[in-house]
């Protein structure tokens, strides 16, 4: 009987508000008793305390309050028993509610002592708390204060309402419950909704308070910031009537407690996105045979799918309608026992670790309306048998991460269903366009991404355009041309045909708000008559020519414009001032010239500006002055001159990446860069910058902490993918999806001098550090090993001296190193990853370096007993040097008397020891050494 009770309960509560509203208007005139004077006065005082912009209380005039809208009186006593003041008014676009009643709630309502029903939902009582006197309305059975903009603590006096059956405080985002024990006194409660109410202070006690409510049938506590899921034996839990339990979007960070599976009356269980983790016991669902809706999506559950499907299928009377386990870590194949869930209408298994073949028994789920299997590792064949009895199917979605799933469906096949939405990605569908899709006359959304179709787009697709809301065919090998004039669905459509072989001119389509045609072979000029409704336009990676049309300034809804990697030319003559919603502008990799338009930064919403690899010139002082919300600025590969303006660092507090390489900037590096709190990429290479490296770059806090990487879900389509060309590991790399975790400082190919600031070694999450081809001097900082996450280090072509710091051996992530053409000396480290740096060119041009991989070995004393012999050998080498110096100057005797003691000092000794070791294989040097030895003998004799 549980599922029947649940259906009736939902119907009851869903229609109750509507019924009472009708009752308030249809039956108020049938009240025979006169309106109670005290209660009428209470309503008048309530009306005087609020503003009523929608006229909800406009009928509240005259003596007979029982005839007022929203008021219901007892037909016998005339007392007010119901007050239905829910705000139902909407704006003209029918999308948003008007404020409704605004202001304070008069305490006079406490005089409505016979009130059984009170609905103040969807009004705007901001800046006030829920009145505590509501707890004095002892006869209340129904109280709805949802979405009414209350603030503050929920009064515990509500626990006095022992007759209350329905309580809804949801969607009041600024109220909280600190002590939930008052709920346990609501002994008659059947329905409670605390969604969006902050209950973090009651995380450890909520279950104990609710668990004693044996009459409770619906418990809604979604997004309540609950952070504890009580485990173990809880004797106070007495959910003997509970049909619905919604705890989704909390932060339990816990496994599912076993007591939950003992609530055998449950019909609807929703724990989606609630921090659930771990495995599910293999017998857990055998007790929940009344379940109709089960939602565990977006958690961290790691179980075999059989544990869920197998348990549910063992129920002889199972009536499951919805099974949503998406975005977890379920593994294994879909069990053939899925066919036993014969009432299943929605099966959602997206984004798991499922694998194997799709069982043909899935085609026997006659009630199935939605089948979603994307983002798993499927293999094998999808045949007509898989759809044999799916007559009610409206949505079908599947993708395979390993691309090992193929479709074997005849073109002339007539499916038993009529789809509205199809989503197939990363499978083998082609090479021809699936002909059976033409039978699907109700389609409004078509996604066939990366399915190996190498064909033309059939005419019937374009014939359906008036009903199409989504058309995604990207990353195939579609060829041919597209119709020049089409009108898509009036509800506005999104179309993605990017990464194909389509050609011809750019079409002019209407009712398309998002259009991706990038990476095709389209040619000609950008059309003047682009639909002004468009918000995303991506024509990058084609062969478009000509100037930017001035009509772009008429696209007032434009948010993203990407025209990169074409052959566009001329100056930018677009007036950008009217494009107030533009977020990303990418004009890179064209032949555009002139200056940056002064109106460009009148767009205060602009976050991404890419003008790199064009022929822009001049100074950029004023052009970027008002672009105060930029997160990406790429001006690389142009002819910009002058100093880098301070305003780039002074006013762009949101900048994450700056690329100014390969221009003609002069002057020093502005210290304003040091104060950018989120800067992760700073590329100033290939300019004429001078001066020293600002030590304050050590203040770049975003290079001192870990940056999370959020990968797009498989098959999803980001509106705009940030892209930047960077020098990494000695070669140019184009970063796209992973750009968000790239941390780079590249100051190479300038005229910078001075030392490498030791302070910058605290940038522990720096990944690439390139200071090559400058005039830097001094030593490599000894603490460079603190750059623990560094992968690329290029200090080549400078004047650095000293030894390679031993701390570099601790940089275990380092996989590219270039120290060539400096004045470094001493042994090359050999520990850890230095074993992998086997290319001698890494160290070439440092004549005093020794050790592998260079052919010059370092002389090292083997033990203390041999130290005297080694010392004699080194003394011989030193004397050789001084011998030739003395011969050149003609002061042989003076050399021995003055310098004989100096060479015994350690700095001199080590320098000449290295010299002798490096030259010992040279026959000429051996001869010189022999002469020095003879001279030494002669000195002793004298």
């Amino acid at each position: 009987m549980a599922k029947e009770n649940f259906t009736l309960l939902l119907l009851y509560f869903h229609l109750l508000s509507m019924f009472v509203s009708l009752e308030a208007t249809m039956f108020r005139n049938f009240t025979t008793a006169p309106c109670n004077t005290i209660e009428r006065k209470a309503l008048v005082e309530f009306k005087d305390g609020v503003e009523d912009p929608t006229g909800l209380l406009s009928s509240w005039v005259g003596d007979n309050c029982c005839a007022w809208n929203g008021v219901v009186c007892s037909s016998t006593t005339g007392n007010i028993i119901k007050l239905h003041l829910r705000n139902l008014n909407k704006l003209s676009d029918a999308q948003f509610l008007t404020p409704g009643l605004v202001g304070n709630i008069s305490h006079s309502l406490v005089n409505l002592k016979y009130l059984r029903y009170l609905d103040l939902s969807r009004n705007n009582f901001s800046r006030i708390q829920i009145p505590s006197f509501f707890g004095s309305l002892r006869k209340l059975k129904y109280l709805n204060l949802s979405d009414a903009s209350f603030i503050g603590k929920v009064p515990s006096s509500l626990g006095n309402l022992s007759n209350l059956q329905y309580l809804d405080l949801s969607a009041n985002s600024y109220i909280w419950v600190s002590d939930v024990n008052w709920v346990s006194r609501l002994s008659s409660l059947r329905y409670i909704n605390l969604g969006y109410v902050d209950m973090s202070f009651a995380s450890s006690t909520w279950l104990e308070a609710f668990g004693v409510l044996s009459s409770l049938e619906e418990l809604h506590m979604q997004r309540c910031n609950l952070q504890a899921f009580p485990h173990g034996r809880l004797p106070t839990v007495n959910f003997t009537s509970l049909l619905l339990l919604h705890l989704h979007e909390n932060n339990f960070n816990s496994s599912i407690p076993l007591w939950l599976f003992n609530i055998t009356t449950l019909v609807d269980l929703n724990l989606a996105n609630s921090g659930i983790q771990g495995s599910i016991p293999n017998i857990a669902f055998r007790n929940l045979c009344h379940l109709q809706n089960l939602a565990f999506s977006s958690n961290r559950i790691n179980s075999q799918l059989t544990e869920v499907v197998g348990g549910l299928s063992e129920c002889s009377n199972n009536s499951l309608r919805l099974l949503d386990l998406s975005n977890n870590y379920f593994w294994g194949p879909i069990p053939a026992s899925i066919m036993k869930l014969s009432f299943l209408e929605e099966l959602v298994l997206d984004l798991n670790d499922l694998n194997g073949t799709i069982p043909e028994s899935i085609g026997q789920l006659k009630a199935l309306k939605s089948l979603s299997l994307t983002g798993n590792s499927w293999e094998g064949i999808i045949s007509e048998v898989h759809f044999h009895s799916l007559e009610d199917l409206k949505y079908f979605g599947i993708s395979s991460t390993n691309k090992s799933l193929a479709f074997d469906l005849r073109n002339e096949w007539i499916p038993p269903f009529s789809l509205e939405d199809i989503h197939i990605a990363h499978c083998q569908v082609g090479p021809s366009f699936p002909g059976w899709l033409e039978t699907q006359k109700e389609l409004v959304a078509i996604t066939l991404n990366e399915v190996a179709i190498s064909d033309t787009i059939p005419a019937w697709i374009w014939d359906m355009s008036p009903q199409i809301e989504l058309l995604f065919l990207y990353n195939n090998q579609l060829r041919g041309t597209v119709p020049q004039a089409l009108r898509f669905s009036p509800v506005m459509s999104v179309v993605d045909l990017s990464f194909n072989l389509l050609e011809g001119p750019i079409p002019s389509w209407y009712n398309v708000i998002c259009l991706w045609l990038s990476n095709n072979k389209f040619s000609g000029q950008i059309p003047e008559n682009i639909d002004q409704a468009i918000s995303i336009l991506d024509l990058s990676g084609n062969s478009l020519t000509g100037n930017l049309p001035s009509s772009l300034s008429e696209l007032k809804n434009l948010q993203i414009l990407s025209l990169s990697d074409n052959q566009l030319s001329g100056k930018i003559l677009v007036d950008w001032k009217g494009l107030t919603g533009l977020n990303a502008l990418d004009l890179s990799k064209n032949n555009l010239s002139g200056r940056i338009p002064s109106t460009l930064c009148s767009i205060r919403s602009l976050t991404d500006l890419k003008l790199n690899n064009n022929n822009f010139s001049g100074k950029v002082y004023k052009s970027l002055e008002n672009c105060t919300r930029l997160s990406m600025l790429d001006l690389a590969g142009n002819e910009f001159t002058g100093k880098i303006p301070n305003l780039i660092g002074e006013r762009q507090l949101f900048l994450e990446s700056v690329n100014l390489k390969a221009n003609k900037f002069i002057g020093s590096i502005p210290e304003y860069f040091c104060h950018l709190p989120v800067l992760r990429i700073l590329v100033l290479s290939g300019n004429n910058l001078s001066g020293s490296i600002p030590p304050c770059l050590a203040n770049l806090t975003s290079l001192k902490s870990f940056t999370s990487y959020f990968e797009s879900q498989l098959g999803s389509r980001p509106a705009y993918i940030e892209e930047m060309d960077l020098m990494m590991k000695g070669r140019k790399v184009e970063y796209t999806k992973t750009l968000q975790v790239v941390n780079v400082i590249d100051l190479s190919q300038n005229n910078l001098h001075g030392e490498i600031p030791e302070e910058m070694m605290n940038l522990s999450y720096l990944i690439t550090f390139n200071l090559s081809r400058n005039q830097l001097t001094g030593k490599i900082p000894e603490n460079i090993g603190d750059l623990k996450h560094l992968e690329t280090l290029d200090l080549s072509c400078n004047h650095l001296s000293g030894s390679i710091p031993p701390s570099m051996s601790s940089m275990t992530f380092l996989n590219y190193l270039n120290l060539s053409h400096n004045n470094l000396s001493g042994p090359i480290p050999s520990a850890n990853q230095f074993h992998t740096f086997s290319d001698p060119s890494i160290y070439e041009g440092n004549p005093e370096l020794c050790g592998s991989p260079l052919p010059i070995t370092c002389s090292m004393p083997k033990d203390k007993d041999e130290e005297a012999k080694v010392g004699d050998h080194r003394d011989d080498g030193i004397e050789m040097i001084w011998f030739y110096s003395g011969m050149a100057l003609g002061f042989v005797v003076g050399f021995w008397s003055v310098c004989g003691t100096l060479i015994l000092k350690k700095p001199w000794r080590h320098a000449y020891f290295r010299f002798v070791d490096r030259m010992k294989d040279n026959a000429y040097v051996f001869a010189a050494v022999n002469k020095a030895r003879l001279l030494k003998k002669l000195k002793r004799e004298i």
Side-chain angles (χ1 to χ4, degrees):
M1 292 294 293
K3 61 183 181 182
E4 290 82 359
N5 289 340
F6 178 71
T7 303
L8 292 174
L9 182 70
L10 287 181
L11 181 62
Y12 168 73
F13 286 127
H14 182 72
L15 298 178
L16 185 56
S17 295
M18 184 182 299
F19 171 77
V20 173
S21 179
L22 291 173
E23 182 184 27
T25 57
M26 294 175 61
F27 298 104
R28 61 173 181 258
N29 294 327
F30 292 92
T31 301
T32 58
C35 174
N36 184 285
T37 304
I38 296 176
E39 293 179 346
R40 179 188 177 281
K41 182 180 179 182
L43 293 183
V44 171
E45 291 181 12
F46 169 77
K47 178 183 178 181
D48 292 342
V50 297
E51 298 177 16
D52 182 20
T54 62
L56 181 63
L57 309 180
S58 59
S59 67
W60 284 25
V61 293
D63 296 332
N64 187 9
C65 64
C66 294
W68 297 351
N69 284 335
V71 179
V72 177
C73 299
S74 169
S75 60
T76 56
T77 65
N79 294 113
I80 298 174
I81 58 174
K82 296 181 181 180
L83 197 56
H84 186 82
L85 301 178
R86 180 183 179 87
N87 175 29
L88 297 177
N89 294 284
K90 296 184 178 181
L91 295 175
S92 57
D93 62 1
Q95 296 295 319
F96 302 99
L97 294 173
T98 54
L101 299 178
V102 180
N104 295 316
I105 299 176
S106 173
H107 188 271
S108 64
L109 293 184
V110 77
N111 293 319
L112 305 181
K113 299 186 181 298
Y114 297 93
L115 195 65
R116 292 182 293 182
Y117 181 107
L118 177 59
D119 189 346
L120 298 175
S121 61
R122 301 171 78 175
N123 286 290
N124 186 14
F125 298 112
S126 57
R127 301 185 302 277
I128 69 168
Q129 293 182 261
I130 297 175
S132 59
F133 71 80
F134 281 172
S136 301
L137 303 175
R138 299 298 183 92
K139 292 188 178 295
L140 271 182
K141 293 184 178 182
Y142 181 104
L143 178 59
N144 190 346
L145 305 177
S146 64
D147 196 15
S149 301
F150 287 108
I151 64 171
K153 179 182 174 182
V154 176
S156 59
S157 60
L158 295 183
N160 298 331
L161 304 176
S162 58
N163 293 308
L164 200 64
Q165 297 181 23
Y166 183 107
L167 175 61
D168 192 347
L169 306 179
S170 65
N172 289 288
S173 301
Y174 297 101
I175 66 174
W176 66 86
V177 174
S178 57
D179 182 1
V180 76
N181 289 326
W182 57 269
V183 174
S184 62
R185 305 201 306 270
L186 302 177
S187 56
S188 301
L189 200 64
R190 297 174 61 193
Y191 175 103
I192 184 169
N193 192 341
L194 299 178
Y196 294 82
V197 177
D198 185 0
M199 296 191 63
S200 57
F201 298 106
S203 284
S204 60
T205 58
W206 66 270
L207 185 61
E208 184 176 355
F210 288 96
V212 299
L213 303 177
S214 59
S215 62
L216 191 63
E217 297 177 351
E218 287 197 42
L219 174 55
H220 299 259
M221 293 178 64
Q222 65 274 14
R223 200 176 289 192
C224 288
N225 201 23
L226 293 171
Q227 300 172 2
F229 216 151
H231 287 257
R233 298 187 63 184
L234 297 169
T236 56
V237 175
N238 190 26
F239 288 137
T240 56
S241 303
L242 195 63
L243 302 174
L244 180 147
L245 179 60
H246 282 187
L247 299 175
H248 50 286
E249 298 184 71
N250 282 291
N251 303 301
F252 293 120
N253 293 316
S254 165
S255 59
I256 305 175
L258 293 178
W259 58 260
L260 189 145
F261 297 103
N262 293 326
I263 310 176
T264 58
T265 55
L266 274 178
V267 174
D268 190 323
L269 176 59
N270 191 339
L271 293 176
N273 195 21
S274 59
I276 298 299
Q277 57 193 7
S279 60
I280 296 177
N282 57 3
I283 61 171
F285 288 97
R286 296 177 185 176
N287 296 329
L288 303 183
C289 291
H290 298 295
L291 273 180
Q292 294 185 19
N293 300 313
L294 176 61
F296 278 4
S297 63
S298 301
N299 285 293
R300 299 188 297 277
I301 302 173
N302 186 354
S303 281
Q304 193 171 9
L305 184 61
T306 305
E307 306 294 354
V308 178
V309 174
L312 291 169
S313 63
E314 289 183 14
C315 297
S316 59
N317 60 337
N318 79 78
S319 57
L320 194 68
R321 264 73 172 175
L322 166 67
L323 178 60
D324 187 353
L325 305 178
S326 61
N327 201 13
N328 278 286
Y329 299 101
F330 285 102
W331 51 276
I334 299 176
S337 59
I338 191 81
M339 61 177 291
K340 295 182 180 180
L341 303 179
S342 56
F343 291 95
L344 200 60
E345 297 178 0
E346 293 185 51
L347 178 59
V348 188
L349 302 177
D350 302 319
L351 300 170
N352 279 286
D353 294 327
L354 301 174
N355 55 25
T357 59
I358 309 296
E360 292 182 346
S361 58
I362 208 166
Q364 300 180 35
L365 298 175
K366 295 182 178 181
L368 206 60
K369 297 179 180 178
S370 178
L371 176 59
S372 193
L373 307 175
T374 63
N376 290 285
S377 299
W378 307 119
E379 58 187 33
I381 300 294
I382 293 291
S383 68
E384 297 171 15
V385 179
H386 287 87
F387 304 100
H388 182 267
S389 299
L390 306 186
E391 298 179 359
D392 294 329
L393 196 65
K394 293 297 180 184
Y395 171 78
F396 174 62
I398 193 168
S399 65
S400 178
T401 56
N402 57 16
K403 301 183 180 180
S404 298
L405 184 67
F407 280 71
D408 184 16
L409 303 174
R410 293 169 297 138
N411 280 335
E412 61 272 16
W413 176 53
I414 301 178
F417 48 72
S418 183
L419 293 175
E420 297 176 357
D421 188 345
I422 185 169
H423 180 113
I424 303 176
H426 309 99
C427 299
Q428 180 71 37
V429 173
S432 61
F433 209 95
W436 61 269
L437 274 180
E438 187 176 0
T439 67
Q440 305 299 291
K441 303 300 184 182
E442 299 180 24
L443 278 173
V444 296
I446 302 173
T447 297
L448 297 173
N449 295 334
E450 297 186 52
V451 293
I453 298 177
S454 53
D455 198 355
T456 58
I457 301 175
W460 62 263
I461 287 282
W462 308 122
D463 293 339
M464 295 179 66
S465 61
Q467 71 189 54
I468 294 295
E469 299 175 11
L470 182 147
L471 180 61
F472 277 15
L473 304 176
Y474 78 75
N475 209 359
N476 287 285
Q477 293 182 335
L478 297 170
R479 59 182 186 271
T481 60
V482 298
Q484 286 302 292
L486 286 177
R487 191 172 295 274
F488 282 79
S489 170
V491 299
M492 297 299 174
S493 303
V494 292
V495 177
D496 189 350
L497 306 180
S498 57
F499 292 92
N500 282 289
L501 303 173
L502 300 170
E503 55 189 358
I506 295 294
S508 297
W509 291 342
Y510 295 94
N511 297 334
V512 176
I513 58 171
C514 301
L515 179 60
W516 293 277
L517 298 178
S518 61
N519 296 93
N520 279 282
K521 296 183 176 182
F522 290 109
S523 57
Q525 297 188 348
I526 299 172
E528 292 275 355
N529 56 339
I530 298 174
D531 189 353
Q532 295 186 16
I534 200 163
S535 62
I536 297 175
L537 179 61
D538 187 351
L539 306 179
S540 61
N542 285 287
S543 300
L544 303 179
T545 57
N547 299 330
L548 295 182
S550 58
S551 60
L552 290 176
S553 61
E554 300 173 4
L555 306 182
K556 306 298 183 183
N557 297 306
L558 201 60
Q559 298 178 22
I560 295 173
L561 177 61
S562 180
L563 304 176
S564 67
D565 200 10
N566 281 286
Q567 300 167 27
L568 301 172
S569 58
K571 297 181 178 180
I572 300 178
L573 301 177
V574 179
D575 185 355
W576 303 97
K577 284 187 286 190
L579 307 185
T580 56
L582 191 64
N583 299 132
L585 176 62
D586 189 349
L587 304 178
S588 62
K589 301 177 183 178
N590 282 287
N591 298 312
L592 299 170
S593 58
R595 296 176 178 268
I596 299 176
S598 59
T599 61
L600 189 58
C601 280
S602 58
I603 310 171
R604 299 299 178 93
S605 60
L606 196 63
T607 60
D608 289 56
L609 178 58
K610 288 178 57 60
L611 303 177
N612 53 290
N613 298 91
N614 279 286
N615 297 312
F616 292 114
S617 59
K619 298 180 179 180
V620 293
Y621 287 111
K622 294 294 183 180
S623 303
L624 302 176
E625 185 172 8
N626 294 318
C627 286
T628 56
R629 299 192 64 84
L630 283 180
S631 64
M632 171 184 277
L633 176 63
D634 194 342
L635 304 180
N638 284 288
E639 301 289 329
F640 292 117
T641 58
K643 294 183 178 180
I644 298 175
N646 287 337
L647 60 90
I648 290 182
E650 181 180 7
R651 306 189 61 178
Q652 317 297 335
L653 298 180
F654 300 95
L655 269 174
E656 296 183 23
S657 53
V658 177
N659 190 351
L660 305 180
K661 71 178 180 182
N663 280 283
K664 297 180 179 179
F665 289 113
I666 61 173
S668 59
I669 299 174
E671 292 193 1
Y672 284 108
F673 284 126
C674 304
H675 308 300
L676 298 177
V678 293
L679 187 66
R680 296 181 297 101
I681 298 174
L682 177 61
V683 181
L684 306 178
S685 59
N687 284 284
N688 297 312
L689 299 175
S690 57
S692 60
I693 300 173
C696 64
L697 288 177
N699 298 333
L700 295 176
T701 55
S702 60
L703 298 181
K704 301 178 184 180
S705 59
F706 174 71
T707 301
S708 299
Y709 172 54
F710 299 99
E711 186 174 8
S712 299
Q713 294 181 350
L714 184 69
S716 64
R717 179 58 161 99
Y720 174 69
I721 300 176
E722 290 185 338
E723 172 269 330
M724 184 173 284
D725 294 337
L726 299 171
M727 288 297 297
M728 304 287 279
K729 304 178 184 179
R731 57 190 177 89
K732 186 173 76 170
V733 178
E734 182 181 277
Y735 282 89
T736 54
K737 295 180 180 179
T738 58
L739 186 64
Q740 57 184 292
V741 292
V742 174
N743 297 336
V744 175
I745 293 180
D746 186 350
L747 310 179
S748 62
Q749 300 181 59
N750 283 287
N751 294 309
L752 301 173
H753 58 77
E755 298 187 356
I756 301 173
E758 186 174 334
E759 297 91 332
M760 292 182 66
M761 303 305 106
N762 69 353
L763 303 178
S764 57
Y765 279 84
L766 187 63
I767 294 176
T768 292
F769 194 25
N770 191 345
L771 303 179
S772 64
R773 300 181 182 277
N774 280 287
Q775 306 296 323
L776 300 175
T777 56
K779 297 182 177 181
I780 300 174
E782 289 294 331
N783 60 339
I784 194 172
D786 292 341
L787 301 178
K788 299 293 185 182
H789 294 85
L790 199 67
E791 297 179 10
T792 298
L793 177 62
D794 193 343
L795 303 179
S796 63
C797 300
N798 281 286
H799 304 292
L800 300 173
S801 58
S803 61
I804 299 175
S807 67
M808 287 185 65
S809 297
S810 64
M811 301 165 66
T812 54
F813 285 93
L814 193 65
N815 54 51
Y816 178 86
L817 177 66
N818 193 346
L819 301 178
S820 63
H821 301 287
N822 280 285
N823 300 315
L824 300 173
S825 58
I828 296 171
S830 58
N832 297 329
Q833 79 288 351
F834 272 87
H835 286 297
T836 65
F837 299 141
S838 57
D839 185 355
S841 65
I842 295 174
Y843 309 103
E844 69 181 6
N846 291 281
E848 296 189 21
L849 277 180
C850 61
S852 178
L854 296 177
I856 305 166
T857 59
C858 301
S859 177
M860 299 288 291
K862 294 184 178 179
D863 53 50
K864 293 183 178 180
D865 295 334
E866 295 180 356
E867 187 172 356
K869 296 179 181 179
V870 174
D872 287 342
H873 170 71
R874 288 171 175 170
D875 286 343
D876 290 344
I878 296 167
E879 290 165 350
M880 176 202 72
I881 301 302
W882 288 111
F883 172 78
Y884 283 106
S885 299
M887 289 288 290
L889 298 173
F891 298 109
V892 176
V893 177
F895 158 72
W896 288 115
S897 61
V898 175
C899 301
T901 56
L902 293 178
I903 62 177
L904 298 178
K905 295 184 179 180
K906 288 184 178 180
W908 289 92
R909 287 170 60 90
H910 288 304
Y912 289 111
F913 293 165
R914 289 193 297 271
F915 179 81
V916 172
D917 289 337
R918 188 171 67 251
M919 302 295 292
K920 66 182 181 180
D921 294 327
N922 189 296
Y924 178 82
V925 173
F926 274 122
V929 170
N930 288 332
K931 291 181 180 180
R933 286 174 176 168
L934 291 173
L935 185 60
K936 180 179 180 181
K937 182 177 180 180
L938 177 63
K939 176 188 174 185
R940 288 175 179 171
E941 292 176 353
I942 295 174

